[in-house]
Amino acid sequence: MEPPVRLASTGTIIHGVSVGELLGVSTLAEARLLAGESGLGRVVQRLNVMEVPDILAWVKPHELLLTTGYPLRNTPQSLGRLVTDLDDRGLAALAIKLGRYVDELPPEMVEQADRLGFPLIQLPNDVGFDDILNQVLTDILNRQAAVLVRAEEAHRALVQVVLAGGGLDEVTAEVAALLDVSVAAVDGRGRVLASAGQHEAALREILGREGSSGAAGSGSPASGSRVSASVPVIAGGHHHGRIVAYSPTGSMRDSDVGILERAATVAALAVTRQEAVHAVESKYRADFLRDVLTGRAGSIERVAARARAFGWDLERSVTVLVAELDPDGDERTAQDRLVTCWTAAMRRHDPRGAVAGFSHEVVAVVDASVDAARVARDAASAFADSPPVTFSTGTSRPSRGPDTLPEAYSQALKAARVGRQLHGPGAVAHFDQLGVYRLLSLVNDTDELHAFVRETLGPLASDDDAENADLRRTLQVLLETNLNVAETARRLHFHYNTLRYRIGKLERLLGNFTDDPHLRLNLTLALHVLRMRGI
């Protein structure tokens, strides 16, 4: 099996052989492992010969250090410390010829090598260093060449996928064939976008379990119950998901992971391209739906035909829903998310329904027989993982035919905005359930409404003065309780005489409303208009 890839400190050799494999070459057939058996998996990328006592200044990571012990013949006590120093510098192993300058290794050196998992190898006396160097380096370079050829072939195959306009399906299929594993492309929410390979079903099952448990990444290879490798897909600085691979053996070579990383780059290109195409398509859809909802899309026949081209059915009885982002949220990041959530909800409830995102809202046109409130709840549930941003939803009356959609859109928009004013952010309101607010919202001349409020409430129409706002609150509760002074005092936590004083002050400002039912009606309507401020 090909050993792992490791980054070298210098040079271009990045592949090597494990110490265990190295002991199998012919020149080392008679070599004997003295200590550090747990380190046989260490990777050898180069070889070096110890000719000077201060060898530490010349060694590099992943080296096999060969020595006769000559530089240490006069200081055998330094051998114990040598193992620790070589291990600290990342060396793979130390191979020594005994009997010429050093008769045996000190026990503390052997014990330290076992603790550190640092292989100590006794070399046969009849084998020259040049033979070992030639054979091991040739083996390393041959392996490096084979890996590079394989990586180049994979690179050409993946580039061809891009040039041929392939998407995630083609990328996963190509990688599965190259590595003989099962491969899947997964989005940021854990949904499988494409998959391929002999064990595709098993991989999908594993990803399903990981998604439900919130796990990610590769687990213990020996378990065989999780993915063998996982590489993120990043494009434009955004994390779009990951490319995962699964092998029944539970393990993959690092060179295979390198090919998987190249596949992730290609997948990022495919995702970016798809996003660009989707953005153009979404713009066309949104522009067309906006024209329909504003009555500028042309004849009914033209609207119906173009809607069918988008997969929409606007000729049936439909309901218009408007989902408008509530203020104080980060609209730049939330709007795209809002469109995605509503699109997914519409796909589940009405595949022939229309949905498009505008600058601050999402508009959906759904079959009148579909429970609009349920669609809104599903979209809100999916959107809930992006707090603290919320949206309010308004629903229109049923509309029959494209020519009545502008009116339905106006109703839904008013319902969303009035619902937010009455119930706060995240409200879901139907136009027919707005009561008197529905009638007030039908008054198109908002200047006239504001003039009515100023004429009816006088100084109480403004929030400039805190006392006026407080008096307006007292007036509102009085009207809600049908002038029940005791109940109003209880709600406002006022003394009875305090409330009587306030009533007198209100009548001096507004007129004798306690005896004039018409004035009370006007005051109630004016307060309702104030609550609708901002519509």
Side-chain angles (χ1 to χ4, degrees):
M1 184 183 74
E2 180 181 327
V5 179
R6 296 290 185 269
L7 293 179
S9 59
T10 61
T12 58
I13 296 179
I14 60 173
H15 298 272
V17 295
S18 68
V19 175
E21 290 177 300
L22 185 145
L23 291 175
V25 302
S26 60
T27 54
L28 297 178
E30 301 299 324
R32 187 163 65 92
L33 182 68
L34 301 177
E37 183 177 1
S38 62
L40 290 178
R42 293 187 180 218
V43 175
V44 177
Q45 293 176 345
R46 53 175 62 82
L47 288 84
N48 198 354
V49 178
M50 183 176 182
E51 296 179 335
V52 293
D54 59 339
I55 189 63
L56 295 177
W58 308 98
V59 297
K60 299 181 178 67
H62 307 297
E63 278 186 346
L64 170 64
L65 184 61
L66 308 175
T67 183
T68 60
Y70 178 79
L72 304 172
R73 66 191 186 283
N74 298 322
T75 56
Q77 67 277 6
S78 64
L79 289 173
R81 178 63 187 171
L82 179 63
V83 168
T84 302
D85 291 338
L86 295 178
D87 181 70
D88 288 343
R89 284 159 176 77
L91 263 72
L94 173 65
I96 186 169
K97 286 188 177 184
L98 296 177
R100 301 181 65 182
Y101 303 107
V102 176
D103 292 331
E104 61 180 7
L105 300 181
E108 61 270 17
M109 181 182 185
V110 175
E111 293 173 2
Q112 181 70 352
D114 278 329
R115 281 196 300 270
L116 296 174
F118 184 84
L120 293 178
I121 301 169
Q122 180 180 347
L123 295 173
N125 287 323
D126 58 345
V127 177
F129 284 174
D130 57 338
D131 295 328
I132 298 175
L133 290 168
N134 287 334
Q135 188 172 25
V136 174
L137 286 176
T138 299
D139 194 5
I140 291 174
L141 291 174
N142 286 341
R143 288 170 180 253
Q144 166 112 344
V147 169
L148 292 177
V149 168
R150 186 164 178 262
E152 182 63 25
E153 291 174 351
H155 177 74
R156 284 198 299 267
L158 291 171
V159 168
Q160 187 59 39
V161 169
V162 176
L163 295 178
L168 294 178
D169 288 329
E170 290 76 14
V171 171
T172 54
E174 187 66 38
V175 177
L178 286 169
L179 303 182
D180 194 24
V181 296
S182 295
V183 180
V186 184
D187 69 8
R189 303 186 65 193
R191 294 176 300 184
V192 177
L193 303 177
S195 61
Q198 183 179 357
H199 303 283
E200 178 181 354
L203 176 56
R204 282 180 171 270
E205 181 182 351
I206 293 169
L207 292 172
R209 290 200 303 267
E210 287 187 0
S212 62
S213 64
S218 58
S220 172
S223 69
S225 61
R226 300 187 68 182
V227 298
S228 303
S230 176
V231 177
V233 176
I234 300 175
H238 299 288
H239 189 283
H240 293 276
R242 54 195 176 114
I243 297 288
V244 297
Y246 167 73
S247 172
T249 63
S251 62
M252 288 183 64
R253 297 170 293 188
D254 281 5
S255 59
D256 289 346
V257 176
I259 292 176
L260 206 64
E261 290 172 345
R262 297 194 181 201
T265 302
V266 174
L269 293 174
V271 168
T272 304
R273 182 181 59 207
Q274 183 59 38
E275 285 185 344
V277 172
H278 179 69
V280 173
E281 291 178 347
S282 297
K283 183 179 185 304
Y284 280 124
R285 289 170 180 262
D287 289 346
F288 170 64
L289 187 57
R290 184 184 289 107
D291 288 342
V292 172
L293 297 176
T294 55
R296 298 178 301 178
S299 65
I300 295 177
E301 292 76 14
R302 182 177 181 276
V303 170
R306 192 171 178 189
R308 285 193 296 270
F310 285 127
W312 301 342
D313 184 359
L314 303 184
E315 298 175 275
R316 54 187 173 162
S317 182
V318 296
T319 300
V320 177
L321 294 91
V322 171
E324 190 175 51
L325 287 171
D326 294 319
D328 303 325
D330 187 351
E331 296 182 0
R332 294 172 299 176
T333 58
Q335 180 64 19
D336 290 343
R337 181 77 177 136
L338 186 65
V339 174
T340 300
C341 293
W342 271 92
T343 301
M346 286 289 291
R347 189 180 299 116
R348 288 192 298 270
H349 293 279
D350 184 12
R352 295 188 301 160
V355 60
F358 299 161
S359 57
H360 303 288
E361 65 193 37
V362 173
V363 180
V365 182
V366 63
D367 193 315
S369 63
V370 173
D371 186 348
R374 185 178 177 185
V375 178
R377 286 195 301 270
D378 282 2
S381 177
F383 192 74
D385 59 359
S386 304
V389 184
T390 58
F391 64 87
S392 297
T393 306
T395 307
S396 74
R397 293 169 173 168
S399 170
R400 180 67 187 181
D403 56 328
T404 60
L405 285 176
E407 180 182 357
Y409 170 63
S410 178
Q411 294 170 359
L413 189 59
K414 289 175 180 177
R417 295 180 178 178
V418 173
R420 181 191 296 115
Q421 292 293 326
L422 298 180
H423 308 297
V428 178
H430 193 288
F431 184 73
D432 282 341
Q433 297 172 348
L434 298 180
V436 68
Y437 296 100
R438 184 181 78 209
L439 298 177
L440 292 173
S441 69
L442 294 175
V443 178
N444 294 324
D445 191 347
T446 56
D447 290 338
E448 186 63 31
L449 284 176
H450 294 158
F452 171 74
V453 171
R454 290 192 299 271
E455 293 168 2
T456 305
L457 294 179
L460 300 188
S462 172
D463 288 332
D464 295 339
D465 191 321
E467 183 182 5
N468 287 340
D470 193 32
L471 285 173
R472 190 172 67 238
R473 170 64 179 158
T474 302
L475 174 64
Q476 181 176 326
V477 177
L478 274 170
L479 295 173
E480 288 175 355
T481 60
N482 198 24
L483 301 183
N484 186 323
V485 178
E487 176 62 16
T488 301
R490 186 189 67 80
R491 289 192 188 182
L492 296 176
H493 307 289
F494 287 159
H495 189 275
Y496 183 86
N497 290 335
T498 301
L499 183 58
R500 295 300 308 179
Y501 169 77
R502 283 179 169 248
I503 293 173
K505 190 169 186 178
L506 284 169
E507 290 196 317
R508 288 193 295 273
L509 290 171
L510 306 174
N512 188 19
F513 64 89
T514 55
D515 294 326
D516 187 344
H518 295 292
L519 179 55
R520 289 201 297 275
L521 175 60
N522 287 342
L523 292 171
T524 301
L525 290 175
L527 290 173
H528 283 331
V529 173
L530 273 183
R531 291 189 68 184
M532 293 171 58
R533 183 179 300 163
I535 298 176

